[in-house]
Amino acid sequence: MVAATDPDIQHTTEEQVAQQARRKELVQRWFWRILGYIFFLGVWEYGSGRILEEALLPGPTRIIKTFGELWAGGKMLDAFQATTFRIAVGFGLSFIIGLFIGLISQNRWWEAFFRDATLISLTAPGLIWALITAIIFGNRIAGPIITIVLTTFALVSVNVYEGVKSLPKDLVDMGKAFRVDVIGRNRHIVLPHLAPYLFTGVRFGFSIAWKVTVLTEIFSSGRGIGFEMRTSSQLFQMDEFLTWILAFFLFALFLEKVVLQAFENRYFRWRQGVAAT
Amino acid sequence: MAEIKIKNLHKEFGVGDDKVVALVDVNLEIEGDVFVSIVGPSGCGKSTLLNILSEIETPTSGTVSITNKGHAALPGYVFQAARLLPWRTVMDNLLFVQEEVTDAVRARCQKYLDMVHLGDKGNKYPGELSGGMQQRVGIARAFSVEPDVMFMDEPFSHLDAITARSLRRELHEMWKATNKTIIFVTHDVGEAVELSNRILVFAKGGVLKDDIQVDLPFPRDPSDEQVAIAKANVLKKFEELDLVAT
Amino acid sequence: MTTATAQLPKSTKPVSLVTRWKRSTWIPRVLFPITILLFWQVGMQVIRRIWPFAVDVLPTPMEVVDMMWGEIINPFVEGKQAITRENLYLTFGRSLLRLGSGFVIAMVIGTIIGLAMGLSKAVDAFFHDWVMALLAMPALAWALFTGLIFGMGNRSPIVTVVLTGIPFVIVNVREGVRNTPRELFDMANAFKVPRNRATRHVLIPSLMPFFFAAIRYAFSIGWKGLVIAEVFSGQDGAGWTIKFYYDAHRAHGIIGYAFFFVIFALLLEKLVFEKISNRVFKWRPKTTDVALVEALFDGPDDAASATAAAQI
Ligand SMILES: Nc1ncnc2c1ncn2[C@@H]1O[C@H](COP(=O)(O)OP(=O)(O)OP(=O)(O)O)[C@@H](O)[C@H]1O
Ligand SMILES: [Mg+2]
């Protein structure tokens, strides 16, 4: 009743109150977040040289400096090139194999045939594959590639399998009813439906691929991030070692959060629309 | 038996754009072993009123007092969905809400399970029962604390017509047998007329619009002429109050 | 199935051998390991023919079985010396002890942080990014790092288990706290149930599934981390033994130990986790088989990437 006499003032003040509340929450969240960063980085920096010797635990500032040096020396780019190449070849192969197995697993017979293969791939530790292939192939590229394929193909095949199984039959039938040809149906119905499943497979497969690649490089390689990590740990150069770990971590974060995310936003915008309505 | 006094009750949720007014200036007195139904369109604050009465929510302003001969009254609550602990057996669900667990209390719980015809299901888990059975466990639970006042929030709306009808009959019997004040929220005017002495009508925005006495003898058969007329009268009132349009 | 066949009049006719072969699922399941063995055996023969000095490096299935059998019966044979320093049981015992101590530490600290993060937005903001970073960190990095700091011995493997396991505990416990059933607490309030009883009968049981998931993940990821840490800085234990075979260039030892891992994981699952789960979740309606896929890809984003990370 009061609001009716002077609705504008009432409204704006209320809106302000709400906005203030929201802003306050955001500010608080960022405050605590930054405090978290200050705390952890501070403990690290303080601990270096005080709790542990600086040779054992170099602080963040030291790491950033080393990072700059390694980058400037060109070593960083070289190692990343080697590792990325292995991942690309290995995971590309793994994707094709996984796609193939996922597709033929629509047949129950093949599904049963590959069931244990999938299970083993999902559960066996990557370390074992890395060691076995290192013994067999030495530092040839076949080692990392086989290891990547064995540890990741199942993530692709499982997702493809699920995607095909849940194909929207009603939409395909609709396409048939409107006389859409096979190519059109595949392009506009089957592929858009499968894409998110493939994407999930790639995302999870990838997050494993890069870890396992570095692991194989530790045992059998003359180039790459894993190799650099091994060298610096053998030479007891903690600053370099931690820098490599950090670089490797940032690289993975970049791929997962920036590249894959951008891809997802670009191609799966329609799904957000679905979720919103 | 309880005495309920509500004065100038206001309830709002949220602030700014998200603000929702659930109840506006509600004044109400309920006394004795009456069966009071609350009807009104969806979102008019019925559940909110029950939640405030049972102290799950606190009012924005105004006062609420529920007493039994000067003492704070003990409430029972039957929810729209049964709200049983899925990880406890039926019997343990009843024991969970008791003040203390003694042999006498166990016997009492068993008695109320028997009343809702689930005497042999005490050792089952809720997940092993049908929806109607779960709702009956919820009713037995509320009665088993022997409350002074009972709140029921659309307890039969999820059930099929046949189950709902038999449960309505059971509820009526239990009310007669135990002498309680019952506050019963429903969408269904027929249900309200069939069960209650008094019907409170709420309108959108949480305004208490009308307070109707229903003086017909129990038990009331929905197909009975008198009951049908009473129902038609309540519906006519809805139209007069313009509830149907909004 | 039964109703379907009952409706078909054809079912009285004997099914042809080919159809039966196509329908059965156990035949391909058995065929898979046979195919693998065949490939393995034939492949080794071919390679040895071309490349004679590969005998030590490339094991045949028989050698692997021999090695495993030897390890299993070793303590029961008088006077037989183990190839490695300690026999299979002592090795696994040592590793388990390390895993157990790291696991307990991870559970305790992780539960405390997870609870705090679930209850307070401030604490959540404080830790969130760091927990996610920890989650994305491969066990390998911790294994090498702790190896350099602590040197040989028990400390590096245990700390690795703690550091790899802890983010999984935190994420799951936090998720559990966030998903507490509000409507059940309201119910308890309406009936004036005292607080400590509500905690015992509502809060704790509702946290159990999340807690249990935390235990499983922490255990399996911790185990993988432990083995890697032992590879680099153990003087005994399962990881060290694998490294021993690796350094000796005996792949049959590694493969044999890989099988021991699988057997060990299966035993743990069947004898421990399944038993506990059946006891704790007796109230749950029985699900016939929970698909692996579901376990891997359901749930919120953090939890999903957590599961993916648990693979390595
Ligand atoms: N916890 C809450 N937070 C914000 N708004 C709420 C909350 N609870 C209820 N409301 C709002 O208050 C109003 C009244 O809700 P209430 O649940 O009391 O309606 P109701 O009459 O019980 O409706 P129904 O018949 O559909 O159950 C609604 O507009 C609802 O959106
Ligand atoms: Mg309601």
Side-chain angles (χ1 to χ4, degrees), chain C residues 3-207:
Chain C
T3 51
T5 45
Q7 281 164 357
L8 286 173
K10 273 187 235 156
S11 66
T12 45
K13 226 169 67 180
V15 190
S16 83
L17 218 62
V18 180
T19 350
R20 218 186 274 170
W21 159 268
K22 276 188 186 159
R23 270 193 203 154
S24 82
T25 55
W26 64 267
I27 292 176
R29 284 199 82 173
V30 175
L31 265 178
F32 172 73
I34 294 177
T35 318
I36 293 291
L37 279 179
L38 219 71
F39 262 98
W40 184 355
Q41 188 77 37
V42 172
M44 290 303 107
Q45 294 303 332
V46 171
I47 293 177
R48 281 178 182 192
R49 191 98 10 113
I50 311 168
W51 196 21
F53 45 83
V55 176
D56 280 351
V57 177
L58 302 173
T60 61
M62 255 348 265
E63 281 171 351
V64 173
V65 172
D66 265 356
M67 174 266 165
M68 288 176 72
W69 183 244
E71 287 278 344
I72 290 170
I73 60 163
N74 179 280
F76 312 114
V77 182
E78 283 292 328
K80 192 165 182 267
Q81 193 65 41
I83 307 167
T84 54
R85 188 141 24 108
E86 284 171 332
N87 69 40
L88 176 72
Y89 305 95
L90 278 175
T91 304
F92 266 83
R94 262 178 216 289
S95 290
L96 260 184
L97 223 58
R98 287 179 187 140
L99 181 63
S101 13
F103 172 77
V104 169
I105 300 171
M107 282 308 286
V108 172
I109 303 176
T111 305
I112 293 170
I113 297 179
L115 282 176
M117 282 175 79
L119 291 174
S120 149
K121 278 184 184 166
V123 179
D124 188 59
F126 190 83
F127 283 106
H128 182 271
D129 293 0
W130 295 86
V131 172
M132 289 303 126
L134 214 58
L135 204 63
M137 209 60 156
L140 170 70
W142 292 127
L144 287 171
F145 182 58
T146 55
L148 288 175
I149 289 186
F150 299 119
M152 297 284 171
N154 279 330
R155 272 191 296 174
S156 158
I158 291 177
V159 175
T160 303
V161 172
V162 174
L163 288 171
T164 47
I166 223 169
F168 293 88
V169 181
I170 294 177
V171 167
N172 276 295
V173 171
R174 186 190 64 167
E175 218 47 50
V177 175
R178 285 185 176 176
N179 286 308
T180 46
R182 239 204 78 144
E183 77 286 354
L184 291 182
F185 280 113
D186 281 350
M187 182 275 287
N189 262 343
F191 283 100
K192 310 281 178 278
V193 174
R195 214 188 164 84
N196 56 354
R197 202 194 304 167
T199 306
R200 216 178 84 209
H201 294 276
V202 183
L203 180 66
I204 292 176
S206 79
L207 282 180

Side-chain angles (χ1 to χ4, degrees), chain A residues 33 37 115-116 122 204 238, chain C residues 29 129 292 297 308 311:
Chain A
R33 195 176 196 167
Y37 278 85
R115 198 182 300 162
D116 292 317
L122 288 177
F204 289 121
M238 275 312 254
Chain C
R29 284 199 82 173
D129 293 0
L292 192 66
F297 300 112
Q311 291 307 305

Side-chain angles (χ1 to χ4, degrees), chain A:
Chain A
M1 303 300 141
V2 189
T5 55
D6 212 346
D8 279 349
I9 290 175
Q10 182 84 6
H11 193 68
T12 40
T13 48
E14 260 176 28
E15 198 151 81
Q16 277 168 355
V17 169
Q19 231 171 33
Q20 260 170 8
R22 241 173 283 143
R23 205 176 306 139
K24 201 174 139 206
E25 204 183 302
L26 201 74
V27 167
Q28 258 174 10
R29 187 152 181 96
W30 273 100
F31 171 76
W32 285 104
R33 195 176 196 167
I34 291 166
L35 208 69
Y37 278 85
I38 294 173
F39 174 78
F40 284 106
L41 290 174
V43 165
W44 183 3
E45 184 73 59
Y46 176 84
S48 146
R50 267 165 275 242
I51 298 169
L52 284 168
E53 287 167 52
E54 203 185 343
L56 272 180
L57 183 73
T61 43
R62 174 102 193 90
I63 302 253
I64 289 168
K65 244 177 75 194
T66 318
F67 194 101
E69 283 162 21
L70 286 178
W71 181 267
K75 231 173 160 185
M76 193 89 56
L77 231 80
D78 183 62
F80 272 105
Q81 254 171 17
T83 303
T84 322
F85 177 70
R86 289 192 184 109
I87 296 178
V89 175
F91 193 62
L93 205 63
S94 174
F95 185 79
I96 293 168
I97 293 172
L99 189 66
F100 180 70
I101 292 179
L103 288 176
I104 63 169
S105 289
Q106 293 312 308
N107 181 316
R108 273 182 49 208
W109 200 91
W110 286 110
E111 193 269 326
F113 185 82
F114 284 114
R115 198 182 300 162
D116 292 317
T118 311
L119 198 77
I120 290 170
S121 166
L122 288 177
T123 50
L127 174 75
I128 301 285
W129 301 123
L131 290 177
I132 294 173
T133 55
I135 289 187
I136 297 179
F137 298 103
N139 58 10
R140 268 168 286 238
I141 194 170
I145 286 174
I146 289 178
T147 307
I148 295 173
V149 170
L150 287 174
T151 45
T152 59
F153 82 86
L155 283 164
V156 179
S157 72
V158 159
N159 275 292
V160 171
Y161 174 78
E162 288 296 312
V164 176
K165 216 170 73 175
S166 65
L167 262 181
K169 200 177 164 305
D170 49 344
L171 287 185
V172 176
D173 286 346
M174 180 274 288
K176 280 184 192 157
F178 282 102
R179 305 279 179 275
V180 181
D181 61 1
V182 182
I183 298 171
R185 283 206 304 267
N186 276 326
R187 204 178 129 209
H188 295 294
I189 300 170
V190 177
L191 272 185
H193 171 78
L194 280 187
Y197 290 90
L198 286 175
F199 190 75
T200 309
V202 170
R203 208 152 70 93
F204 289 121
F206 205 83
S207 72
I208 290 172
W210 63 268
K211 289 179 189 166
V212 98
T213 309
V214 172
L215 190 62
T216 56
E217 284 173 349
I218 293 246
F219 294 105
S220 60
S221 183
R223 262 177 87 202
I225 303 175
F227 168 75
E228 301 290 349
M229 274 165 74
R230 180 184 60 185
T231 325
S232 51
S233 77
Q234 275 167 354
L235 297 175
F236 221 82
Q237 285 167 329
M238 275 312 254
D239 49 350
E240 279 199 20
F241 174 74
L242 285 179
T243 308
W244 282 112
I245 288 185
L246 188 75
F248 158 76
F249 188 74
L250 289 179
F251 176 62
L253 218 61
F254 170 76
L255 282 177
E256 265 181 46
K257 294 271 139 116
V258 181
V259 179
L260 288 181
Q261 195 70 53
F263 186 85
E264 189 170 6
N265 291 345
R266 169 100 177 63
Y267 289 100
F268 299 135
R269 224 175 26 198
W270 61 272
R271 296 183 89 201
Q272 287 159 6
V274 172
T277 48

Side-chain angles (χ1 to χ4, degrees), chain A residues 127-128 131, chain C residues 84 86-96 98 223 226-231 234-245 253-254 257-258 260-261 264:
Chain A
L127 174 75
I128 301 285
L131 290 177
Chain C
T84 54
E86 284 171 332
N87 69 40
L88 176 72
Y89 305 95
L90 278 175
T91 304
F92 266 83
R94 262 178 216 289
S95 290
L96 260 184
R98 287 179 187 140
W223 169 247
L226 174 86
V227 173
I228 296 182
E230 283 179 343
V231 163
Q235 287 168 308
D236 42 33
W240 177 85
T241 311
I242 288 182
K243 185 70 168 20
F244 168 85
Y245 281 115
I254 301 176
Y257 254 80
F260 284 137
F261 281 3
F264 173 67

Side-chain angles (χ1 to χ4, degrees), chain B residues 97-117:
Chain B
V97 297
Q98 307 299 324
E99 224 166 306
E100 51 179 2
V101 178
T102 60
D103 284 346
V105 170
R106 268 173 205 283
R108 189 171 77 201
C109 291
Q110 187 58 48
K111 184 181 88 184
Y112 284 102
L113 277 182
D114 288 338
M115 267 197 197
V116 295
H117 310 297

